[in-house]
Amino acid sequence: MVLHTASASGVRPTCGEHGRRVGHRQRPPVPAWKWGSPLPPPTSARRGRRNHPALMNDSAAPPPANDSSAGAQLWTESERNGTLALSSDVPLAFGVNPWDIMLCMSGTAIACENAIVVAIIFYTPTLRTPMFMLVGSLATADLLAGVGLILNFVFQYVVSSQTVSLVTVGFLVASFAASIISLLAITVDRYLSLYNALTYFSEKTLRWTHAMLLATWGASLLLGLLPVLGWNCLDEPETCSIVRPLTRGNVTLLATAFFVIFALMLTLYFKICKIVCRHAHQIALQQHFFSASHYVATKKGVSTLAIILGTFGASWLPFAVYCLVGEREYPSVYTYATLLPATYNSMINPIIYAYRNAEIQRSIYLLLCGCFRANAAYRSRSPSEV
């Protein structure tokens, strides 16, 4: 308890008040600012004493009744937060969780990076091939994921609406699901470009690409609508998972779907690696020797596949595993520590799948400074070369 004496407002106690204090008579607590000033006194000193470990009875206790209404509202919003609900167990003096700030900053970087890729693919007519349609789908999904992280921060600390927050969580689920499924679609496209190299540039490939895009966004939209349509734990808090308001069954479904997609990507990239090695061996037999350039090209291809799978696995595997083994009673720092690296995958995707591509680099040069050299070597590449 923090006692506010008359000196806090600059008014000296009268003789009668001093006599009542000496007589140990109890008075109801009166806010200091009502004694002489219409404005409340600075709360920094009272907040510091209230948050001191020696003066706190419960780290999660609500603010005192005579505290400002803004502080009470902030604590209430933290308790009934309907977004990712990863707020720290101990309330912070400045009211904003640093983990949420890092997620918002990550979302901003993701949105900026992928917005450039989407704009380049949309405004460049030569980038309308099936390969770049899938890359554009991946960039769009990551762009929406970045926007969703920003909106989650805004609705968590600025706008207090449980319905809007629930929609934001569904939006995030759909965006990240579309990003992961788009990576699988790109893997399938790369495999088909090597396995059916002679018939890849045909109308059949275009129809297959449209079907994959439709399946990608249809499945992602369905997963995002599940919590919005009622599969959430707002009415039954005991069913919540490590990510509120998603239920334990919901995050189990999402984690299982991730492991299935990751297993399919491992299988396809293993087959791609075998095809690349076999092609290199056939070229070496035709030329009667295995030149150093062939060895370097094969090694580069295998290394690229390892980087792609390693980055994807290192980003999402910790969070997927924790979704299966974590409980809602666990400290929220574990959820933050596994979710934040997962968002970095959407930051790395445009570097791996877009900015390394020669056509996109050329379009960036033309867009930013128009300094692309007309006499530079240029050729269209297949997905297997990206």
Side-chain angles (χ1 to χ4, degrees):
M1 176 181 295
V2 180
L3 298 178
H4 299 283
T5 62
S7 61
S9 61
V11 179
R12 298 176 59 85
T14 62
C15 296
E17 291 174 350
H18 180 71
R20 283 194 294 272
R21 290 184 185 178
V22 174
H24 302 287
R25 295 182 181 180
Q26 298 294 328
R27 299 184 57 186
V30 179
W33 59 86
K34 289 186 178 180
W35 286 14
S37 174
L39 298 176
T43 59
S44 58
R46 293 188 286 116
R47 184 183 296 112
R49 294 189 60 183
R50 185 167 66 249
N51 290 339
H52 195 280
L55 301 176
M56 294 176 62
N57 295 327
D58 187 2
S59 62
N66 63 341
D67 202 354
S68 62
S69 59
Q73 181 182 2
L74 179 61
W75 182 87
T76 305
E77 291 176 0
S78 176
E79 287 298 313
R80 60 183 177 83
N81 175 29
T83 58
L84 290 180
L86 302 175
S87 51
S88 176
D89 297 331
V90 180
L92 300 173
F94 48 87
V96 181
N97 196 319
W99 288 99
D100 291 326
I101 296 177
M102 287 189 288
L103 283 175
C104 184
M105 293 175 59
S106 176
T108 304
I110 290 170
C112 293
E113 271 188 296
N114 289 278
I116 297 175
V117 178
V118 172
I120 289 175
I121 294 178
F122 183 79
Y123 287 106
T124 306
T126 57
L127 301 181
R128 304 293 170 81
T129 61
M131 173 187 66
F132 287 109
M133 291 172 61
L134 296 175
V135 174
S137 173
L138 174 64
T140 302
D142 289 333
L143 170 62
L144 295 178
V147 173
L149 290 173
I150 300 174
L151 292 178
N152 177 73
F153 181 85
V154 172
F155 292 138
Q156 184 173 353
Y157 291 100
V158 180
V159 182
S160 176
S161 174
Q162 216 172 49
T163 302
V164 176
S165 300
L166 186 61
V167 173
T168 305
V169 172
F171 183 80
L172 278 171
V173 171
S175 301
F176 282 117
S179 175
I180 294 175
I181 301 176
S182 294
L183 290 175
L184 176 62
I186 292 176
T187 306
V188 173
D189 183 64
R190 288 181 168 183
Y191 174 75
L192 292 177
S193 68
L194 290 172
Y195 187 76
N196 298 322
L198 298 178
T199 61
Y200 176 78
F201 296 97
S202 63
E203 195 69 24
K204 182 179 179 181
T205 302
L206 187 61
R207 291 195 299 268
W208 177 252
T209 302
H210 289 161
M212 287 194 296
L213 289 175
L214 184 62
T216 296
W217 288 97
S220 303
L221 184 62
L222 177 61
L223 292 174
L225 285 176
L226 288 178
V228 179
L229 296 179
W231 199 7
N232 56 69
C233 64
L234 294 180
D235 297 329
E236 299 177 356
E238 65 277 1
T239 63
C240 286
S241 64
I242 60 172
V243 180
R244 188 175 179 268
L246 300 181
T247 63
R248 182 66 186 270
N250 198 332
V251 297
T252 301
L253 172 64
L254 295 175
T256 304
F258 165 79
F259 284 114
V260 172
I261 292 175
F262 187 61
L264 291 174
M265 291 180 64
L266 279 175
T267 303
L268 289 174
Y269 273 121
F270 178 73
K271 292 183 177 181
I272 289 174
C273 186
K274 289 178 61 177
I275 293 175
V276 170
C277 294
R278 185 171 66 247
H279 285 179
H281 183 67
Q282 291 175 352
I283 293 174
L285 290 178
Q286 291 176 359
Q287 298 181 356
H288 303 290
F289 66 93
F290 195 80
S291 63
S293 60
H294 293 155
Y295 173 77
V296 171
T298 304
K299 184 179 179 180
K300 181 180 178 181
V302 175
S303 300
T304 302
L305 298 182
I307 292 174
I308 292 173
L309 285 176
T311 302
F312 180 65
S315 299
W316 279 104
L317 275 177
F319 182 68
V321 172
Y322 188 63
C323 284
L324 295 178
V325 303
E327 299 290 344
R328 65 186 180 92
E329 296 84 5
Y330 290 178
S332 60
V333 65
Y334 298 153
T335 306
Y336 279 114
T338 54
L339 177 60
L340 188 61
T343 64
Y344 292 160
N345 184 69
S346 296
M347 197 183 303
I348 299 173
N349 283 337
I351 299 175
I352 295 178
Y353 296 95
Y355 294 132
R356 292 175 59 250
N357 183 270
E359 287 94 338
I360 291 183
Q361 291 176 2
R362 174 179 179 269
S363 300
I364 292 176
Y365 294 152
L366 290 174
L367 179 65
L368 297 180
C369 59
C371 59
F372 179 77
R373 295 174 298 175
N375 58 350
Y378 172 77
R379 65 185 180 90
S380 179
R381 300 196 296 174
S382 65
S384 59
E385 298 176 277
V386 179

